[in-house]
Amino acid sequence: MAGNFWQSSHSQQWILDRQDLIRERQYDLQILTEEEYQKVFIFFANVIQVLGEQLKLRQQVIATATVYFKRFYARNSLKNIDPLLLAPTCILLASKVEEFGVISNSRLISICQSVIKSKFSYAYTTDFPYRTNHILECEFYLLENLDCCLIVYQPYRPLLQLVQDMGHDDQLLTLSWRIVNDSLRTDVCLLYPPYQIAIACLQIACVILQKDSQKSWFAELNVDLDKVQEIVRAIVNLFELWKDWKEKDEIQMLLAKIPKPKPAPQR
Amino acid sequence: MDYDFKMKTQKERTKVEDLFNYEGCKVGRGTYGHVYKAKWKETSDGKEYALKQIDGTGLSMSACREIALLRELKHQNVITLIRVFLSHTDRKVFLLIDYAEHDLWHIIKFHRAAKAAKKQVVVPRGMVKSLLYQIFDGIHYLHSNWVLHRDLKPANILVMGDGPERGRVKIADMGFARLFNAPLKPLADLDPVVVTFWYRAPELLLGARHYTKAIDIWAIGCIFAELLTSEPIFHCRQEDIKTSNPYHHDQLDRIFNVMGFPQDKDWEDIKKMPEHHTLTKDFKRSSYSTCSLAKYMDRHKIKPDSKAFHLLQKLLLMDPNKRITSEQAMQDAYFQEEPLPTQDVFAGCPIPYPKREFLTDDDQEDKSDTKRQQQQAAAQQQQQQQQQQAQQQQQQSQLQAQAQAQQQQQQQQAQQQQQQQQQHSHEPNSKRVRLSGPGGGPQPNQQVHPGQQQQQDFHQQQVAAAAAAQQQQQQQQQVQAQQMMFNQQQQNFQQRF
């Protein structure tokens, strides 16, 4: 549905309340600090990104997969499904919904295996442990937990329109597009409508590129500027966190710390 | 995956077979799966649903698309997805949707059978118009949400039976539907050939790689023609549906035989079509020099100066860029002309079509030509019984009558007068009886033409005048009866408001 965002399930069911989000995460936040929790999600957003790139998916599909991932854990503890299993499952589901053409199950598994080995060996010392049947089982659980809301609106399209409106500028578009990608490492996609995220990312890009002349353009936008500022803050916080974070040194400890699923009792 | 999480969700999950009775109630079989007529087990409200069990296991891409799109779409003329059931043990997917008792494939089949048996089917004069208007309404909604249907055909246009949504069109089978705003892949790459041949636009047959709204409009044009004549306008021998080559000689030949071969000025971009060279090699314009849509429709008693024909012509333009949009179509003069479209396409009249029959597992509903003929014979028999009374009615098959010339009516006048006398002597006007009955009226109408409200006063005056002049010509009586009918329905409509 590329039509009306305001009538979409995204708008009506999946713009969450911050307090609600904190409440849902209570269990996990007894084990992880808020910062550690965010770092775990940054890591898995990277996993989804790399998997998507290896499968030659478009950014739109990768972004949708990432939003599925975040929506699932907005309602569930990390304990319920191993994020390493959910990440490729989200990719599989998003590629079907976004009409990218079918990814064969065997190709997905082999890409997972090779990516874990080649790109994330600093995080995982063992092989990718899941097979097709795990992913297909997981897909049903994912669909259920998403309440079948599969169409996700992304900030990319509104961003293109905004940049066009501003007077097209390639450098600005490239940078703000990247910032939208980065925003998937925060909770903003769960909390704000995509056009607000687009505006916030554009604003950050203008500041970075020192395009002061665009201030009046922003002032004329008919948008809740407080919300835009909240988004800007969330993304700037991410950049701060990134600056001092030595992911490769910390991630094994973090992954060891997250609550793990309990297998079925032995009979 | 966590064991407790699994157990917990398993407990919360309701199984479709626990909630609904549907065993032995299969009513449809398609490329997508099986459709059952389902009723709640617990509540006895008797409300019927359609339960679509998707073929195969797991989430196919088309199942995914159907769920994703139906989850977002909300329009009275588009089928509503009520719930999705996932059966984890056998990995089956069920979609719970509106149950529609009728569809245009069955309705047209019924009329064809009646025509072949020289029987008449009594339906409101404006039924085809109402059907078409609602199809456009639904498609306009889809198109304005950047959703293409791409598989429009009579079998996918459902019509609700008796109940709160009586006579309302529901566009269904969105499995092929695609978003076409910035598609990630050329749409043609996904399923090379998707629209049933007869309803497939010429640009698709010539290898167009991008699907457009105009492709849906062409299909609606085909459906419109088929509603008017009870014959598929571009009927062609069916072959294997999934051919990888979009070029289809016989189907193009059929289109040219009806439409004539397009002049250069009619479709300038035809030269850019991928299969244009094959076209010029295979076809000669001169072979079709005597063919035209006007002639074809005239043979089927649709006059080239009628509003219906004018609209049809705008839908069936060979050049996709020239075809009108659903929005323009809804503004067409055809819909402003009486009889105006009604929300209940049956306009409160009894529904002459049989309800869906239950299928057994081996009794697959094959929609191929040969099967169609067999079914037609069977349908004729069935129909004979149902139509024994109806055939006596002087009002002729109004599906056709609305476009039939008055001339013809006059010729049949004498005969009809006889019939009318018979009818009056031993049969009350069944239409009027039904109209005053409960639940027969149309629904509150949000979509009916804005002009209708004003038209109403006009009608009432006319009826009063007509009532004063009781002994007029038969033809006028006929008009009067129709207006009475329309008016009662209007009053009914007003009461409900």
Side-chain angles (χ1 to χ4, degrees), chain A residues 203-249:
Chain A
Q203 200 175 33
I204 296 171
C206 282
V207 170
I208 294 172
L209 296 172
Q210 296 180 318
K211 291 194 181 289
D212 296 338
S213 58
Q214 303 294 357
K215 272 193 181 133
S216 60
W217 183 89
F218 279 104
E220 281 167 23
L221 285 179
N222 184 19
V223 63
D224 185 341
L225 286 173
D226 290 343
K227 296 275 185 204
V228 173
Q229 285 322 302
E230 285 173 31
I231 301 168
V232 168
R233 219 171 302 133
I235 295 171
V236 171
N237 285 345
L238 169 76
F239 293 160
E240 297 286 316
L241 185 89
W242 250 335
K243 230 176 9 199
D244 317 312
W245 185 28
K246 301 195 170 46
E247 185 185 296
K248 295 200 173 175
D249 302 341

Side-chain angles (χ1 to χ4, degrees), chain A residues 7-252:
Chain A
Q7 281 157 23
S8 67
S9 64
H10 185 163
S11 165
Q12 292 178 353
Q13 272 180 258
W14 290 101
I15 300 297
L16 307 178
D17 180 66
R18 188 183 293 281
Q19 295 308 313
D20 193 30
L21 209 52
I22 292 168
R23 215 172 18 252
E24 295 277 359
R25 287 175 183 169
Q26 238 165 24
Y27 177 86
D28 287 349
L29 291 179
Q30 287 168 357
I31 298 159
L32 301 166
T33 67
E34 245 177 85
E35 192 179 302
E36 287 171 334
Y37 187 87
Q38 192 182 358
K39 284 176 174 172
V40 169
F41 279 83
I42 293 171
F43 172 76
F44 282 105
N46 293 343
V47 171
I48 293 171
Q49 184 75 34
V50 174
L51 281 175
E53 284 168 9
Q54 293 295 308
L55 288 158
K56 302 197 168 51
L57 302 181
R58 292 264 299 261
Q59 186 57 33
Q60 172 90 19
V61 188
I62 296 171
T64 296
T66 313
V67 174
Y68 289 169
F69 186 85
K70 295 188 73 85
R71 283 182 182 179
F72 180 86
Y73 290 114
R75 295 274 183 247
N76 288 280
S77 161
L78 285 161
K79 171 178 177 290
N80 287 357
I81 294 183
D82 179 0
L84 185 61
L85 171 61
L86 192 67
T89 309
C90 290
I91 290 262
L92 181 69
L93 189 59
S95 71
K96 290 181 196 170
V97 171
E98 297 280 351
E99 332 194 282
F100 196 80
V102 185
I103 300 171
S104 83
N105 294 325
S106 57
R107 181 156 165 254
L108 182 63
I109 296 289
S110 74
I111 295 271
C112 285
Q113 288 168 338
S114 71
V115 160
I116 291 303
K117 209 169 236 157
S118 61
K119 312 259 177 183
F120 294 102
S121 57
Y122 64 87
Y124 291 98
T125 48
T126 52
D127 287 342
F128 180 74
Y130 300 109
R131 296 293 170 266
T132 301
N133 59 324
H134 298 117
I135 289 185
L136 294 182
E137 182 190 25
C138 184
E139 191 182 34
F140 266 30
Y141 283 88
L142 175 60
L143 184 63
E144 268 174 352
N145 275 272
L146 295 175
D147 195 20
C148 296
C149 301
L150 298 175
I151 305 280
V152 178
Y153 287 72
Q154 298 291 349
Y156 301 107
R157 194 176 301 139
L159 179 69
L160 285 170
Q161 285 164 355
L162 290 166
V163 173
Q164 202 73 48
D165 186 63
M166 227 178 209
H168 190 83
D169 177 338
D170 275 336
Q171 193 190 17
L172 186 65
L173 179 61
T174 311
L175 182 60
S176 44
W177 186 282
R178 280 205 198 137
I179 297 171
V180 170
N181 294 352
D182 292 341
S183 78
L184 292 167
R185 277 94 179 140
T186 71
D187 289 335
V188 298
C189 63
L190 296 176
L191 298 171
Y192 304 95
Y195 79 96
Q196 287 180 358
I197 300 173
I199 292 168
C201 294
L202 189 57
Q203 200 175 33
I204 296 171
C206 282
V207 170
I208 294 172
L209 296 172
Q210 296 180 318
K211 291 194 181 289
D212 296 338
S213 58
Q214 303 294 357
K215 272 193 181 133
S216 60
W217 183 89
F218 279 104
E220 281 167 23
L221 285 179
N222 184 19
V223 63
D224 185 341
L225 286 173
D226 290 343
K227 296 275 185 204
V228 173
Q229 285 322 302
E230 285 173 31
I231 301 168
V232 168
R233 219 171 302 133
I235 295 171
V236 171
N237 285 345
L238 169 76
F239 293 160
E240 297 286 316
L241 185 89
W242 250 335
K243 230 176 9 199
D244 317 312
W245 185 28
K246 301 195 170 46
E247 185 185 296
K248 295 200 173 175
D249 302 341
E250 286 177 42
I251 194 67
Q252 282 205 22

Side-chain angles (χ1 to χ4, degrees), chain B residues 272-323:
Chain B
K272 298 179 188 162
M273 300 309 297
E275 300 289 344
H276 183 253
H277 62 282
T278 333
L279 179 80
T280 48
K281 197 174 71 197
D282 289 1
F283 291 93
K284 276 210 300 265
R285 169 167 295 139
S286 56
S287 341
Y288 307 98
S289 55
T290 58
C291 308
S292 79
L293 182 61
K295 280 188 195 162
Y296 172 86
M297 292 308 287
D298 200 38
R299 279 203 296 280
H300 287 87
K301 308 209 173 70
I302 304 296
K303 293 278 165 258
D305 59 356
S306 64
K307 296 241 176 6
F309 179 79
H310 285 299
L311 175 56
L312 180 66
Q313 209 170 24
K314 289 181 237 173
L315 303 171
L316 292 181
L317 283 169
M318 298 285 256
D319 183 347
N321 292 317
K322 293 185 178 147
R323 257 169 250 154

Side-chain angles (χ1 to χ4, degrees), chain B residues 30-50:
Chain B
T31 46
Y32 46 81
H34 309 263
V35 179
Y36 300 90
K37 182 170 170 176
K39 282 185 186 170
W40 285 100
K41 277 190 173 170
E42 296 297 318
T43 43
S44 54
D45 66 346
K47 189 162 161 27
E48 290 156 342
Y49 298 89

Side-chain angles (χ1 to χ4, degrees), chain B residues 107-290:
Chain B
I107 287 176
I108 292 165
K109 185 177 85 172
F110 189 82
H111 283 273
R112 255 165 75 108
K115 205 163 91 174
K118 306 244 183 321
K119 301 285 181 336
Q120 284 167 4
V121 184
V122 182
V123 292
R125 209 157 55 100
M127 188 179 84
V128 169
K129 189 182 289 185
S130 305
L131 286 167
L132 188 69
Y133 189 83
Q134 293 188 34
I135 294 170
F136 278 125
D137 209 352
I139 283 297
H140 176 241
Y141 172 77
L142 293 179
H143 284 181
S144 55
N145 282 291
W146 299 95
V147 175
L148 290 174
H149 190 289
R150 303 208 324 163
D151 195 27
L152 283 170
K153 53 188 176 187
N156 287 343
I157 310 290
L158 311 184
V159 183
M160 299 296 277
D162 282 311
E165 289 195 282
R166 186 184 206 271
R168 184 175 290 171
V169 166
K170 299 277 177 187
I171 297 172
D173 232 329
M174 307 290 296
F176 287 114
R178 298 260 191 293
L179 288 176
F180 62 101
N181 191 346
L184 296 184
K185 276 199 157 189
L187 294 172
D189 285 358
L190 293 159
D191 295 281
V193 169
V194 289
V195 183
T196 318
F197 280 121
W198 298 348
Y199 308 94
R200 196 172 297 164
E203 65 270 26
L204 277 177
L205 298 167
L206 291 173
R209 287 180 50 78
H210 284 279
Y211 291 86
T212 59
K213 297 181 189 185
I215 285 165
D216 286 342
I217 298 295
W218 176 274
I220 295 174
C222 300
I223 294 168
F224 184 27
E226 193 165 334
L227 283 169
L228 293 171
T229 67
S230 306
E231 306 288 339
I233 181 166
F234 302 124
H235 177 273
C236 178
R237 203 170 51 88
Q238 294 271 57
E239 285 177 23
D240 296 334
I241 291 290
K242 295 267 178 194
T243 66
S244 54
N245 183 7
Y247 181 80
H248 196 283
H249 175 277
D250 292 357
Q251 189 65 58
L252 281 166
D253 176 59
R254 172 65 188 170
I255 291 176
F256 299 147
N257 261 311
V258 173
M259 306 286 298
F261 197 89
Q263 300 290 325
D264 290 340
K265 65 169 171 44
D266 293 339
W267 187 3
E268 284 172 11
D269 290 347
I270 194 171
K271 296 187 186 72
K272 298 179 188 162
M273 300 309 297
E275 300 289 344
H276 183 253
H277 62 282
T278 333
L279 179 80
T280 48
K281 197 174 71 197
D282 289 1
F283 291 93
K284 276 210 300 265
R285 169 167 295 139
S286 56
S287 341
Y288 307 98
S289 55
T290 58

